[in-house]
Amino acid sequence: MGKPQVVLGVSGGIAAYKACELLRRFTESGHDVRVVPTASALHFVGEATWSALSGNPVSTEVWESVHEVPHVRIGQGADLVVVAPATADVLAKAAHGLADDLLTNTLLTARCPVVFVPAMHTEMWEHAATQENVATLRRRGAIVLEPAVGRLTGVDTGKGRLPEPAEIFEACRRVLLRGPRALETDLAGRHVVISAGGTREPLDPVRYLGNRSSGKQGYALARTALARGARVTLVSANTGLADPAGADVVRVGTAVQLREAVLKAASDADVVVMAAAVADFRPARYAEGKIKKKDGEEPAPVELVRNPDVLAELSAERPHPAQIVVGFAAETDDVLANGRAKLARKGCDLLVVNEVGDHKAFGSEENEAVVLGADGTETAVPYGPKEALAEQVWDLVAARLS
């Protein structure tokens, strides 16, 4: 089997230089990449750079090597087309089927998954015309990632920054791994909210009650949902992980903060997945100064109070009856029995039950679980990458959405 064929479209924005790093990640991981820049992109990064990094010829015009019919053949032979950065101009042309250069011709002839990674000033991204073009592309099955928030050109800051190349590559890798299923963007047009990580409940300015959740499973759920076309809001609690390309990330610390962020985001969500490890209790009192150790004295007991039960609240107070709520249950014994009891108690549609402990689930790249359904179904997911579990969860969600 030959190398996966990737077309990297580069349009004329200042973020074009970041595409060099994306190209390097593709080539070093065994992909054959054909770079198709727009004429304006060459003002930022020259043809020689693209050719040297990819090992393939570079052209912007349909009139070069006409006997090879490049405006048709490049798109026909691709396993993936990714446009990064995608300017407002290219998004508009793609949405309206215009084809005035090699890149836009390639987009019209491609029958593989197409990923657009927009980058532009905030005002351009938020303009009604751009938003309508994005909606059109998504409706047709293209994956359009949300831009990141951060420093733009000059002194401007806002939404419109190109996500980090490493995360763009991860998004594209996820699409390629789905194979033919990648054309089935079964979450397109859906807003999904995912919580990830572990909450921390402050005891004093330097100490907290926490847990060992790394957030990796929640982030795998986010990346997989993005690859299936969803708009993703990721509520992240103390993870330290890089933002998945295309996700709107809301950072929180405590269970109360997580509840507020999730309920706000869930108001228009089709699906809410509570993958975060939310603390059941928090200290009843917060010490304004560091609690001191006193010679000859035992520490005072730490009184705890209950935190809000966010999963139960989400299940009971859905903004619309079609919203699907998925919970996670980390158990150390009687895993399935405790999971079934929790499913009945919480009232969610699906509950992902997994055993945790030393070298199990927390911090690992792998996981195994049983997904319990409120309809009595049980789906076992064998030990494997957390992305595989994420795919299975979204398969079950997609079936219920349809």
Side-chain angles (χ1 to χ4, degrees), residues 201 298 379:
E201 310 303 320
E298 291 298 317
T379 305

Side-chain angles (χ1 to χ4, degrees), residues 222-298:
R223 291 191 179 98
T224 305
L226 289 160
R228 296 172 76 145
R231 177 168 67 92
V232 175
T233 300
L234 178 61
V235 179
S236 177
N238 308 298
T239 66
L241 301 174
D243 293 352
D248 284 322
V249 180
V250 181
R251 302 199 181 280
V252 297
T254 68
V256 171
Q257 292 169 349
L258 183 140
R259 172 187 176 274
E260 180 182 349
V262 168
L263 291 179
K264 180 179 178 181
S267 62
D268 69 341
D270 298 285
V271 187
V272 183
V273 181
M274 287 292 295
V278 183
D280 293 321
F281 310 101
R282 67 181 185 272
R285 284 172 292 279
Y286 174 75
E288 296 294 337
K290 179 182 176 182
I291 300 172
K292 299 293 186 180
K293 178 175 64 177
K294 297 179 180 179
D295 292 341
E297 294 185 18
E298 291 298 317

Side-chain angles (χ1 to χ4, degrees), residues 5 20 60-61 102 124 129 131 147 161 163-164 170 180 197 249 253 257 261 263 273 312 354 383 399:
Q5 303 295 305
C20 296
T60 65
E61 299 294 337
L102 191 56
M124 299 173 73
Q131 290 301 303
R161 180 183 174 89
E164 291 305 308
E170 281 301 313
V249 180
Q257 292 169 349
L263 291 179
V273 181
N354 61 332
Y383 185 80

Side-chain angles (χ1 to χ4, degrees), residues 105-122:
N105 274 271
T106 298
L107 290 170
L108 279 181
T109 57
R111 294 298 178 266
C112 60
V114 178
V115 177
F116 292 93
V117 191
M120 64 197 73
H121 263 69
T122 306

Side-chain angles (χ1 to χ4, degrees), residues 33-90:
V33 186
R34 178 74 180 262
V35 181
V36 182
T38 64
S40 57
L42 296 181
H43 287 287
F44 296 95
V45 181
E47 179 181 331
T49 299
W50 297 124
S51 182
L53 290 176
S54 68
N56 283 316
V58 172
S59 176
T60 65
E61 299 294 337
V62 298
W63 307 112
E64 297 181 21
S65 303
V66 174
H67 64 287
E68 297 177 358
V69 201
H71 72 288
V72 174
R73 295 287 181 260
I74 294 175
Q76 284 180 333
D79 297 303
L80 174 72
V81 176
V82 53
V83 184
T87 60
D89 179 65
V90 164

